[in-house]
Structure formats: structure tokens, C-alpha cells
């Protein structure tokens, strides 16, 4: 069973001015697919706090997957991709490219996403959109393939070639 950390980036959520629905959607989907949620929290749109938590979840908690929601747009306060890029060792651009490609079939606004994905040690980190609807669409689109990627990252599987 893979361990997941969930981080919602939201100033209003952190200040208890808005209920975090997007993080709840992530939790629902990953648990339905057999993952264990090790930690779930809401942080403000603060690059240093987001980076510090990703490092903690990866290095100390040893989670296999960190899913973030929010902070990937054009607002001055949207800094989740920058926080992620500070902590990853390798990029895994195909994941967010696939999400954007799929999302473009639903809305042209998907082109405005600045989300990134990458690997820190043995942890895969993926930025998801901020809205509950977009989170559901995106995560349900990639969840089946994520398992194989995580198996390779953990050394459980060794090849991507299809038989």
C-alpha cells in the first residue's frame, strides 16, 4: 500500500475562511484506489512553507506520493510549482502534460495551469488543479497509471514495456 501526503495550498483555507473541498476529493480518490493517506493539511500560498512540508513528507515521513492542490494559476500568490521545483531532484513532466492534454478537452482554461510534477528521492510529487471538479477529473484520469510509476520508483517493478 502506497502512502500519500496531501497538501492544499490556500490562503483562505488556511485562515478557515473556506472549506477545503479539493483536498477531500484527493483523499476520497486515493483511498478508493487502495492508497493510505499519511498526512493531509492545508497551508497558505507560501513558497517556503510548501517546500518545507514537501521535504518533510518525503525525507522524514517517507511518503510515496505527494499530491498538492491549488496555487498553480497566474495569481501573484500562486507559488506551488515554484515550491515543488525547489525540492524535486528530477522532473516528471509527462504526468502534468497528460493532465493538461486531457483537461483541454474539457476546458480551454486548462492551458493556464502552471502545474509541475517531479521526484524527490523515492517520492513522486504532483501538482493538481485547485477546483474540486478539476481535481477529480485530473486524478481519476492518471490514478491507474500512477501505480505502475510508483512501483518502478520503489523498485517493485523494473520495466515499463508492455507485454
Amino acid at each position: 500500500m502506497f502512502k500519500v501526503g496531501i497538501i492544499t495550498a490556500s490562503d483562505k483555507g488556511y485562515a478557515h475562511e473556506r472549506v477545503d473541498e479539493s483536498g477531500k476529493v484527493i483523499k476520497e480518490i486515493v483511498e478508493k484506489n487502495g492508497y493510505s493517506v499519511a498526512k493531509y493539511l492545508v497551508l497558505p500560498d507560501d513558497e517556503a512553507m510548501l517546500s518545507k512540508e514537501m521535504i518533510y513528507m518525503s525525507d522524514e515521513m517517507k511518503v510515496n506520493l505527494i499530491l498538492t492542490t491549488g496555487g498553480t494559476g497566474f495569481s501573484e500568490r500562486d507559488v506551488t510549482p515554484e515550491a515543488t521545483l525547489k525540492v524535486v531532484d528530477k522532473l516528471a513532466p509527462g504526468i502534468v502534460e497528460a493532465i493538461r492534454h486531457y483537461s483541454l478537452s474539457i476546458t480551454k482554461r486548462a492551458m493556464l495551469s502552471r502545474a509541475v510534477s517531479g521526484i524527490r528521492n523515492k517520492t513522486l510529487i504532483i501538482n493538481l488543479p485547485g477546483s474540486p471538479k478539476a481535481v477529480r477529473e485530473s486524478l481519476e484520469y492518471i490514478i491507474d497509471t500512477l501505480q505502475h510509476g510508483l512501483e518502478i520508483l520503489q523498485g517493485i517493478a523494473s520495466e515499463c514495456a508492455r507485454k
Side-chain angles (χ1 to χ4, degrees), residues 116-132:
V116 299
S117 50
I119 297 166
R120 178 182 179 85
N121 302 318
K122 294 204 175 266
T123 303
L124 177 60
I125 303 172
I126 303 170
N127 300 158
L128 295 172
S131 81

